Structure formats: C-alpha cells, structure tokens
Amino acid sequence: MSPPEHIVFVTGRLARARLEKVAAGLPATMRWSIADAGVKVAALMTEEIIRRRVEMPAGATRVILPGRCRADPERLAAHFGLPVERGPDEVVDLPAWLGLSARKVDLSRHDLRIFSEIVDASKMSVSEILAKGLDLTRRGADVIDLGGLPDTPFPHLEESVRALKGAGLTVSVDSFSREELARGAGAGADYLLSLNEETLDLAFETDAVPVLVPTRPDDLPSLDRAIARMREAGRPFLADPILEPIHHGFVDSIARYRETRARWPDIAMMMGTGNLTELTEADSLGVTALLVGMCSELAIQNVLIVQVSNHTRRTVEEHDAARRVMYAAKADSALPKGYGRALLALHDKRPYVQTPEEVAQAAAEVRDPNYRIAVAEDGIHVYNRDIHRVGTDAMAFFPDLDVASDGAHAFYLGAELAKAETAWRLGKRYVQDEALDWGCAADAEVEDATAFKKAGHTRHSGPNAPPPGTRDARLPPPEADALAPETVSDAETVPEGRREPGTMLVCGRLVPADRT
C-alpha cells in the first residue's frame, strides 16, 4: 500500500496567511505543509532562492509552486527528487486547481472540424487568399472555404485552390455556380459546398466530398433523398439542414437538425453558424458556445463559420475554444461548467480573490510608500503605509495620491486604476501589473514562466531618479533583509504578524520596498 500524499506548498510571506486559511479547509485526508521561501512575494521567488532556502519535510510526495513564481519546475524536481508543479496564480483558486471543487481538465482535444469561409475570395488576389488562409489556420480553422459571389467572376479559382493545397491546407469551395464547383474540384478541392438533389450528379464526377443541403431550407425530404442516394452509392458526404436566422425560421431549423439526426443517426453532419453569429447583433461568444453545445449534443462534427461583421472578428477563436470545452464536458457527462475561463469574456465566475477584510489586513501591514491596488466586492482599494482608500471611480483617487510631481508614477497609477475600475464594474478579476483576462475574445500575452517580467514603461521620475537604463545604486539587492525561510505543516500553529521588508513588483518592474 502506497503512503498517503503529502503536498508541500511553496509560498512567499505576503500570501502565507491566505494559503494557511485555504489549506486548513482541505480534506482531512490530504496532508500538507507550507514552505516559506523567505521572500515577500512569489513573483520574486527564483529557482536559486528555492533551492537554497526551502527544505522538504519528511514524507513529502509533491511540491506546488505559486503560479507567478519564476522558476523551472523540472529543474526543481531534479533538485528535490520530487514532482514539482506550478499551481494557480491566486491562492483562492487552489482547491479548484487540486480538483477538489472543480475538474482538472484536458482542453487539448476536440471532435469538431472548423470550415472557415473567405467570403470575398473572388475579389482577392491569390497571394491575399493564401495569407488569409494561413492566418485562419493559425487561429484554429481546419478547412479553408473559398466562397464564390453571385455574378462575380472567379478566374483565379484553380490557382487559389492549388496555392492553399501547396501550403498543406485543406480546402473547400462554396458556390451557387455548378461550373465553379466543378473547377474547384478539378483543382484539388477536398470539399464542395453545397449540393442538393438537383446538382448532386457533380458529386459522382469528382473525389471531393460534397456537403448536401435541402433544395429549400424547409424542404427536409429533399435532403433525405440526397442522403439516401449517396449512401446507396457508398460515397462520403456531409449533410447540412441549414441554420436560419432569428425570426426567419431559426427555431424550425434547429428542429430540422434534431430530426435529421434522428432519421440518420450515423451520418456526418455540418452546421453553418454564421446565420446566427453574423445576423444577430449580440456578443458572438455566447451565441457560439450555445451552437457548439447543440453540435456536441447532436454529434455534428463540422461547422461552417464566417467573419464579415466586426463583432464576429474572433469567431474562429471562439469556435475553437467552445469545441474544446464542449468535448471535455461531454466526455465527463457533465455540464460545461468548471472547464476554464476561455468562454468568459465580460464577467468572471470568481472575480474577487480577496475579501474587503483581507485587503484591509494586507494594507495594515504595509510599511513602504509604494501604492498597491486591489479590487474587492466593495470597490477599488488603493493603499500604502500612509493611506487606504476605497472607491469605485478611478479619477476620484487622484487627490489622495502623492504623485502630483511624479508624472510617470501618476500615469502608471491612472492606467492601473482605470483597469481596476473596468474590472470592478464588469465583475472581472484584477491583478495589479497584469492585463485583464478576456478569455478567447482577445489574445493573451504569452510569457516565459521561468523568467522575470521585463521592466515596465514607467520608472520613478522624481528629482533624485537614476539615469535611464541604470539601476539606483542606493537600493539594496532584491534579497536584502529577507527573513529565514521556514516550513510549517497542517499540524503546527503558525505565528502571525511575521513580515519582512523585501522586494516587490511596482509599476511593472522589480524594485525593493522603500524603508524609512
């Protein structure tokens, strides 16, 4: 019988009290210890500091680093001879990260193929089409669909198909013109959109896989006849009953997808989501999540998407995120809840990582003039050793901040407070010196988690400021006066009020705390 798990949580001193509180609420069957590395904040905890200062208690089986710790878990694992993992950024998320209040999920898998249409391909040059196709693929598209426009010649169709295929992309052609579809197939297109029972003969003249549609959206029997013909011939195909816009048959069209799946339980199907995302002036992320959820329930494994309107500019990324969440939830036979924040753009499920009382306690322990900003349920908190103000209007804080003669600092605080106000009003998580998380609605900054962040754009601009590009020689090194590290376990009493002056992240750069 293997020994019980014993987790060691490595932390800095500012987060230790909150970590103790969260760890105390872990199941009694889970053994844990807290290893204080002797520095103030996790963002300054280097690999070297951890190696020199942290000792593993007897029986330890796993080590969890703070999410913002800039160290390499693999090298630390080799040093300690134990598995080392990077945990969540915020202590409040630790139970969920451990799988106690939510799932640890794998979002690397999906079973939904994304056809991304280039609507005006006939008006673009071959080089523009290739560049667009490569960009859509980078964003998550699996098939690049070349859309033909009525009464618009597409003389470079074949060349465009060959260029995309030459780049290793999968290609479909979508046109009302039978002649254009035939030309696309002859150039090597993999799929043809969209054939009905009147144009179905083309499917037998090429190796391209046809996407079958009804003759009219409400004529489901015509789609049935086309499906039956392809099945009798033993040829591959996709079937799309056609999604219609709201107030133009939307509900009935959803019913037709359900009916088609009931009639043909094992065929490959497609849903074109653009008639809802493009033709509904609502944030498209929620619409996309709902439609992809329907696809998941009905085992529809292909979607045709389009981005014409500005409000759908992230539609590829949104479909890509939604298909991963829905796949994971379906695999778990679960609701699509607790599978990450990718589908939450405007609001966060748990926006506040500290209570107002916890912020007040942290503010009471500050002994330097550097301003900290936090967001709690009651508003924006700004504090240093001299003040602690709470409000909801970023501009209203300025009279209380002693930065009138420090333009760079005032600029930095203004930007951070505006961001904090946005977070508070929307119910989003705010972290000082970090961008707000907009889910899949915006690209996230990719960082090297083993290296410190680069210095920010602002610096101290007072009369005694060091020259640009130099370090202030008056300041002590980052580890100066750090207290000795200690490891406490779930069975020990943790002394309170033990804090040391150390270094911190201020204005986007690492600086030591001012000590007076």
Side-chain angles (χ1 to χ4, degrees):
M1 183 176 178
S2 60
E5 184 176 43
H6 182 162
I7 301 176
V8 178
F9 300 109
V10 179
T11 188
R13 293 193 176 274
L14 283 181
R16 194 172 82 178
R18 277 183 289 154
L19 179 56
E20 291 163 359
K21 182 178 179 180
V22 170
L26 296 177
T29 55
M30 181 177 291
R31 293 204 61 201
W32 55 268
S33 298
I34 294 177
D36 189 330
V39 296
K40 201 165 193 177
V41 293
L44 301 180
M45 193 184 299
T46 66
E47 190 176 309
E48 177 63 22
I49 289 175
I50 295 172
R51 282 201 302 264
R52 288 192 292 104
R53 294 174 169 233
V54 172
E55 294 184 4
M56 290 296 119
T61 59
R62 181 161 59 130
V63 182
I64 307 298
L65 303 176
R68 296 191 179 91
C69 172
R70 319 310 272 188
D72 187 331
E74 293 185 3
R75 288 203 290 261
L76 287 175
H79 173 76
F80 289 117
L82 295 170
V84 178
E85 304 169 61
R86 190 181 306 281
D89 286 352
E90 302 294 346
V91 173
V92 71
D93 295 325
L94 188 58
W97 187 87
L98 290 169
L100 301 176
S101 60
R103 304 171 181 83
K104 291 186 68 175
V105 299
D106 176 11
L107 295 180
S108 65
R109 300 178 297 165
H110 64 81
D111 60 357
L112 186 69
R113 183 187 293 118
I114 295 175
F115 287 66
S116 187
E117 183 176 359
I118 303 177
V119 178
D120 52 354
S122 57
K123 296 182 178 180
M124 300 168 64
S125 68
V126 174
S127 60
E128 290 172 335
I129 289 172
L130 178 58
K132 182 70 172 178
L134 291 171
D135 180 61
L136 292 171
T137 301
R138 176 187 64 80
R139 294 171 180 269
D142 302 295
V143 182
I144 304 304
D145 182 59
L146 297 179
L149 296 173
D151 303 320
T152 303
F154 200 164
H156 52 299
L157 172 59
E158 291 91 341
E159 187 180 357
S160 300
V161 171
R162 287 192 289 266
L164 293 170
K165 294 290 293 180
L169 306 184
T170 305
V171 183
S172 63
V173 174
D174 189 357
S175 176
F176 291 109
S177 167
R178 188 185 189 284
E179 182 261 340
E180 283 188 345
L181 290 173
R183 289 168 52 206
D190 301 279
Y191 297 89
L192 296 180
L193 287 70
S194 302
L195 301 182
N196 57 42
E197 64 174 344
E198 297 176 357
T199 59
L200 193 55
D201 287 345
L202 181 60
F204 297 91
E205 300 171 8
T206 174
D207 292 331
V209 176
V211 177
L212 310 181
V213 298
T215 304
R216 298 186 318 275
D218 61 349
D219 186 6
L220 200 55
S222 69
L223 178 60
D224 288 332
R225 291 189 292 269
I227 291 172
R229 185 178 173 190
M230 292 299 293
R231 283 172 64 92
E232 289 170 4
R235 301 291 296 269
F237 65 92
L238 309 178
D240 184 355
I242 304 299
L243 186 71
E244 295 191 273
I246 293 173
H247 298 151
H248 291 270
F250 168 63
V251 173
D252 288 341
S253 67
I254 290 294
R256 288 194 291 271
Y257 279 94
R258 177 68 184 90
E259 188 174 349
T260 299
R261 175 53 75 207
R263 293 184 188 183
W264 308 96
D266 59 348
I267 65 170
M269 293 180 63
M270 170 182 278
M271 177 184 287
T273 59
N275 273 350
L276 209 63
T277 57
E278 284 286 324
L279 302 180
T280 306
E281 287 192 358
D283 290 329
S284 58
L285 179 53
V287 176
T288 296
L290 180 62
L291 292 177
V292 173
M294 291 181 181
C295 289
S296 182
E297 280 203 3
L298 294 174
I300 298 172
Q301 297 183 330
N302 302 272
V303 288
L304 173 64
I305 69 174
V306 59
Q307 189 271 300
V308 177
S309 304
N310 283 328
H311 78 281
T312 63
R313 68 185 67 191
R314 299 281 295 186
T315 190
V316 180
E317 291 87 346
E318 291 170 2
H319 281 79
D320 181 49
R323 64 180 173 177
R324 298 171 188 277
V325 170
M326 297 304 168
Y327 181 92
K330 187 175 184 178
D332 292 337
S333 299
L335 297 170
K337 297 181 64 176
Y339 289 90
R341 299 164 65 185
L343 301 182
L344 293 171
L346 289 181
H347 316 293
D348 277 328
K349 186 176 180 180
R350 299 191 67 183
Y352 311 118
V353 299
Q354 292 176 279
T355 65
E357 293 75 21
E358 288 172 337
V359 177
Q361 180 180 352
E365 297 170 353
V366 171
R367 298 294 181 266
D368 61 73
N370 296 296
Y371 290 105
R372 283 80 163 174
I373 302 172
V375 173
E377 190 171 3
D378 60 340
I380 308 161
H381 292 246
V382 181
Y383 59 91
N384 65 3
R385 67 184 177 191
D386 301 315
I387 70 166
H388 178 193
R389 300 289 185 269
V390 183
T392 58
D393 182 351
M395 302 302 293
F397 286 99
F398 184 74
D400 294 321
L401 306 178
D402 185 22
V403 291
S405 62
D406 189 344
H409 201 185
F411 183 90
Y412 162 77
L413 289 175
E416 281 296 318
L417 287 168
K419 185 176 69 178
E421 181 180 342
T422 297
W424 182 79
R425 294 192 181 280
L426 289 177
K428 292 189 66 61
R429 183 168 292 188
Y430 168 84
V431 179
Q432 189 170 355
D433 292 310
E434 294 189 10
L436 297 181
D437 186 344
W438 299 103
C440 67
D443 288 334
E445 181 180 353
V446 179
E447 292 185 345
D448 180 358
T450 65
F452 287 116
K453 293 184 178 182
K454 295 180 180 180
H457 296 290
T458 63
R459 65 184 182 88
H460 177 64
S461 57
N464 297 318
T470 64
R471 187 179 183 277
D472 191 342
R474 300 167 299 172
L475 301 178
E479 290 186 60
D481 300 326
L483 297 182
E486 58 182 311
T487 302
V488 300
S489 72
D490 51 346
E492 298 176 6
T493 301
V494 182
E496 297 182 356
R498 302 187 63 176
R499 299 289 185 270
E500 89 292 0
T503 56
M504 63 193 64
L505 190 67
V506 177
C507 301
R509 61 184 298 188
L510 298 174
V511 299
D514 290 344
R515 300 166 57 212
T516 60

